[in-house]
Amino acid sequence: MERRAFIAMLASTPAASLAAGDAEQPPAPAPKPLSVTLLGTGTPSPSLERQSSGYLIEAGRDVIVWDHGPGAHHRLLETGRRSVDVTHAFFTHLHYDHCMDYGRLVLQRWDQGADRVPDLNVYGPPPIARMTEQLFGPEGVYGPDIRARIEHKSSQDQFVARGGTLPRRRPAPKVTEIHAGSVVSGDGWKITVGHAQHVQPYLECLALRIDTSEGSICYTGDSGPSDAIVELAKGCDILIHMNHYFSGTEPSPAYRMACGNHRDNALIAKRAGVKTLVLTHLLGQIDRPAVREQIVHEIQNVFEGKVIWGEDLMRLTLADARISTIESRQG
């Protein structure tokens, strides 16, 4: 096959949908109602049913991920979204089960985007800036890969076929380090950053709350019982909370303070006055019939709102500060 014909064939593939350099740009998508899709509801423990922590927030015209642990990016693709759709990435803390797919998100977005999408906006606690440089910088882990994709003729051909114009830029995420008290605003949304009680002082650990005209969602990251979480989540419509293990089985007080348990979560949801509690970060030992029901029952003895046992690819949509739909994309 001649080179020109081959390049034309590449340009006609779905990966080139961002191309058409001289064609009219498609109109901006209409704003979507506030929704959250649970990309990963598992833990660091290997699981074929639950990927590690990750959440997809759709608000206005923005597509936001909160944490991106191993397997979360695969789940993102299963939702029908792609890396090039993501506008913002937030990280609560840098345990690997919350950030391992960061590299995949950035590199696939850069590769498929062919310099035709804005750089990714990234927010997280220190050392997210150093981590980003050590991954994608010239001397970083992926430095040789990135150089080959920029300089080798075959990779340049792919880049041009996808609509890029040489010379190719390096991936350059726009990184902002955040702390409890930080506020980030976007297209009709505001994210407030709070303190999470987990593994300090070794990692700075944060929680996130998004507010829009349609409602509010709070995500604790990984956190044990904390007044700061109660304050951040006050009156929110959905609270997504780590529910790692069964109350009373913790090996030490320190473990409980770092991870909490279902009875702690019931009190937090009640004190915060939230409408719906979504349980996530679930160990296999509690993810079983009868145990699940007992946990939900005991929570409902304390907390009067709705309790949802989170599942990968479950999507919750808010309208007028109420959950309008609960969808499952599994199967």
Side-chain angles (χ1 to χ4, degrees):
M1 181 182 293
E2 293 186 359
R3 179 175 177 274
R4 288 184 180 178
F6 175 69
I7 296 299
M9 179 188 71
L10 286 178
S12 67
T13 64
S17 61
L18 294 167
D22 57 356
E24 286 188 20
Q25 292 296 320
K32 292 197 171 185
L34 177 63
S35 69
V36 56
T37 302
L38 315 182
L39 300 179
T41 57
T43 71
S45 300
S47 171
L48 295 176
E49 287 75 38
R50 296 183 182 274
Q51 303 300 329
S52 291
S53 297
Y55 302 87
L56 170 65
I57 303 290
E58 296 178 84
R61 293 182 175 87
D62 288 327
V63 178
I64 307 164
V65 294
W66 284 352
D67 289 343
H68 218 51
H73 196 81
H74 183 84
R75 293 291 194 223
L76 175 71
L77 298 178
E78 289 183 293
T79 71
R81 288 296 193 177
R82 300 177 302 161
S83 56
V84 294
D85 299 322
V86 178
T87 57
H88 301 73
F90 285 77
F91 294 94
T92 60
H93 64 294
L94 299 181
H95 267 152
Y96 77 85
D97 60 309
H98 288 253
C99 66
M100 186 176 280
D101 272 7
Y102 177 40
R104 184 176 178 186
L105 173 63
V106 169
L107 291 176
Q108 283 198 342
R109 191 176 187 279
W110 171 72
D111 205 26
Q112 299 297 309
D115 285 356
R116 298 184 61 81
V117 294
D119 291 320
L120 182 65
N121 297 293
V122 178
Y123 301 86
I128 187 67
R130 177 165 57 89
M131 177 181 179
T132 300
E133 177 64 22
Q134 290 176 336
L135 286 172
F136 313 117
E139 304 303 319
V141 172
Y142 295 110
D145 178 348
I146 292 167
R147 181 182 178 189
R149 293 178 191 278
I150 289 174
E151 297 184 11
H152 195 276
K153 187 63 171 62
S154 66
S155 295
Q156 291 176 351
D157 290 343
Q158 286 272 11
F159 174 72
V160 171
R162 290 171 175 153
T165 301
L166 295 171
R168 187 178 192 182
R169 297 184 300 111
R170 299 184 61 83
K174 297 177 181 177
V175 178
T176 302
E177 294 193 334
I178 55 176
H179 309 275
S182 297
V183 177
V184 181
S185 297
D187 179 23
W189 54 264
K190 179 182 74 173
I191 289 178
T192 304
V193 183
H195 170 83
Q197 180 171 287
H198 192 40
V199 293
Q200 290 89 342
Y202 305 101
L203 291 175
E204 185 172 353
C205 303
L206 305 174
L208 304 170
R209 173 177 176 148
I210 185 168
D211 287 280
T212 76
S213 61
E214 293 163 322
S216 54
I217 301 169
C218 184
Y219 165 50
T220 66
D222 287 357
S223 184
S226 166
D227 291 341
I229 294 294
V230 172
E231 187 62 31
L232 182 68
K234 280 283 186 185
C236 74
D237 300 301
I238 297 175
L239 173 61
I240 303 170
H241 206 303
M242 177 188 199
N243 197 85
H244 198 50
Y245 68 97
F246 196 91
S247 299
T249 64
E250 60 270 15
S252 67
Y255 188 92
R256 178 179 177 182
M257 294 305 293
C259 300
N261 57 52
H262 72 275
R263 292 179 183 142
D264 293 328
N265 296 343
L267 287 171
I268 288 169
K270 178 179 180 178
R271 290 176 60 203
V274 307
K275 295 178 182 175
T276 298
L277 173 63
V278 178
L279 306 177
T280 188
H281 208 283
L282 303 160
L283 278 171
Q285 67 193 50
I286 64 170
D287 194 20
R288 297 183 285 122
V291 179
R292 290 191 294 260
E293 287 73 17
Q294 182 177 350
I295 287 174
V296 171
H297 174 72
E298 291 186 5
I299 289 175
Q300 290 178 324
N301 283 339
V302 175
F303 169 61
E304 295 180 355
K306 185 189 297 288
V307 181
I308 295 176
W309 192 269
E311 301 286 350
D312 284 17
L313 294 176
M314 179 181 287
R315 184 172 187 260
L316 310 174
T317 301
L318 281 169
D320 298 323
R322 299 182 63 180
I323 295 178
S324 59
T325 58
I326 302 176
E327 306 167 72
S328 173
R329 305 191 192 193
Q330 290 276 38

